[in-house]
Amino acid sequence: MTATLTRSIRLAAASGGAETSRRRAARRAAWSAIAWQVVGVAVFLGAWELIARQIDYVAILPSPSAVVANFHASMFDDPGLKYLGVKQPGYLLNIGYTVGVAVGAWALGSFLGVLVGLLGARLQLVRNLSEPLLFVFGAVPVLVLAPFFLVWFGNGVGNKFVLVTFYAFITVAMVAQSAALALPKATEEYAAGLGIGRFGRFWAVVLPGTLPAVLSGLRLALSTAIAVTATVELLGSESGAGRLIALRATQANVAAVLALAIAVGLVAILLDLILRAVIRSLLRWQ
């Protein structure tokens, strides 16, 4: 009995050591990936700086340092933009406006998309009503629909919010419906054999089974929401990063255009990192 207990202790210790080694290897791989990403960004910025200095014409290609200087100078206020009629001319306020509208519309559209997508996969009537619209409007570019929404809702917040909600809804609904339809029928049949009702199977089988795909769809919809919001603002808006980009483009201020575009992209990356962390915590059970 003592020998058996000793073997069990040794096996447990070996298993714990193997798990620790795997965690260390995973951490090393993560830090190595981050290091290579930093190297890639540094090489890109260095090459950009060298090429810009060779061209030596900011109207064609400003250097990264010129882009950073432009963003710093107009971060909180810009008299030139104020003269052009921008109520809040600071870059940060307008970027925050764009991202705020995008995130709010993304949240509403994603909620509706998950609901309709999962219900459509299990209720034939809902699928018959929603599937043709999802496929038709999912293939329509935002630049085609944006002018109609601009006429119907004006150039205020409502125009952008409705359009971004619409595209987030389409993206998430298609992902959720496809994921639910791909679930093996045997899983639900087994749950039904245990006496679980339709509503219970939806919460205990369908929702957990589709969660990984749906969460990935949420990431896609978030990036789409930010891009659509900025694009609509290019066509006409009272505020937002897209409007500032349009104004700066008419002035041939390439440094300002790049500064705003890169800033919006960095915010989108930050939001995606936060969403990925939330997804990892939700999928820890896998």
Side-chain angles (χ1 to χ4, degrees):
M1 181 176 180
T2 304
T4 303
L5 180 60
T6 302
R7 276 199 304 273
S8 299
I9 294 174
R10 288 176 178 174
L11 287 172
S15 176
E19 180 65 24
T20 303
S21 299
R22 282 195 294 270
R23 289 179 180 176
R24 289 176 179 172
R27 283 197 295 267
R28 285 197 298 269
W31 281 111
S32 176
I34 292 173
W36 280 110
Q37 290 171 357
V38 171
V39 170
V41 172
V43 170
F44 172 76
L45 291 177
W48 178 6
E49 184 78 28
L50 289 174
I51 295 172
R53 291 188 178 185
Q54 289 296 322
I55 296 175
D56 195 22
Y57 190 35
V58 294
I60 296 178
L61 182 64
S63 64
S65 55
V67 172
V68 173
N70 179 276
F71 186 85
H72 182 266
S74 303
M75 188 183 301
F76 300 106
D77 194 13
D78 190 302
L81 290 174
K82 188 178 294 184
Y83 176 78
L84 293 174
V86 180
K87 296 180 181 179
Q88 302 291 341
Y91 285 2
L92 288 182
L93 286 175
N94 283 275
I95 292 171
Y97 173 87
T98 298
V99 174
V101 172
V103 171
W106 164 79
L108 177 59
S110 297
F111 171 76
L112 296 175
V114 171
L115 186 64
V116 172
L118 295 183
L119 289 177
R122 291 299 176 266
L123 299 176
Q124 188 64 44
L125 176 61
V126 176
R127 184 156 73 249
N128 290 341
L129 291 173
S130 63
E131 195 171 54
L133 298 177
L134 293 177
F135 280 100
V136 170
F137 286 103
V140 178
V142 63
L143 290 177
V144 174
L145 291 181
F148 294 99
F149 282 76
L150 187 62
V151 172
W152 296 335
F153 299 99
N155 62 351
V157 178
N159 163 41
K160 294 182 287 292
F161 192 87
V162 173
L163 186 61
V164 175
T165 300
F166 179 71
Y167 272 95
F169 163 76
I170 289 176
T171 302
V172 176
M174 292 182 68
V175 172
Q177 182 173 293
S178 299
L181 290 173
L183 280 178
K185 292 184 179 180
T187 307
E188 288 190 71
E189 291 173 354
Y190 179 76
L194 296 176
I196 302 176
R198 175 177 289 184
F199 186 76
R201 293 199 301 273
F202 179 83
W203 284 104
V205 178
V206 176
L207 193 59
T210 58
L211 189 59
V214 169
L215 292 177
S216 298
L218 292 180
R219 289 182 60 196
L220 176 62
L222 179 58
S223 60
T224 302
I226 296 175
V228 170
T229 305
T231 302
V232 175
E233 289 172 348
L234 287 171
L235 300 178
S237 177
E238 296 177 350
S239 303
R243 189 192 178 196
L244 297 192
I245 290 174
L247 290 173
R248 291 306 199 190
T250 59
Q251 298 172 333
N253 192 336
V254 181
V257 171
L258 287 175
L260 287 162
I262 292 173
V264 172
L266 291 176
V267 173
I269 292 173
L270 178 61
L271 291 176
D272 183 67
L273 290 174
I274 295 172
L275 186 57
R276 285 174 62 183
V278 173
I279 289 174
R280 279 196 298 269
S281 65
L282 292 176
L283 298 181
R284 193 172 296 172
W285 52 271
Q286 281 194 315

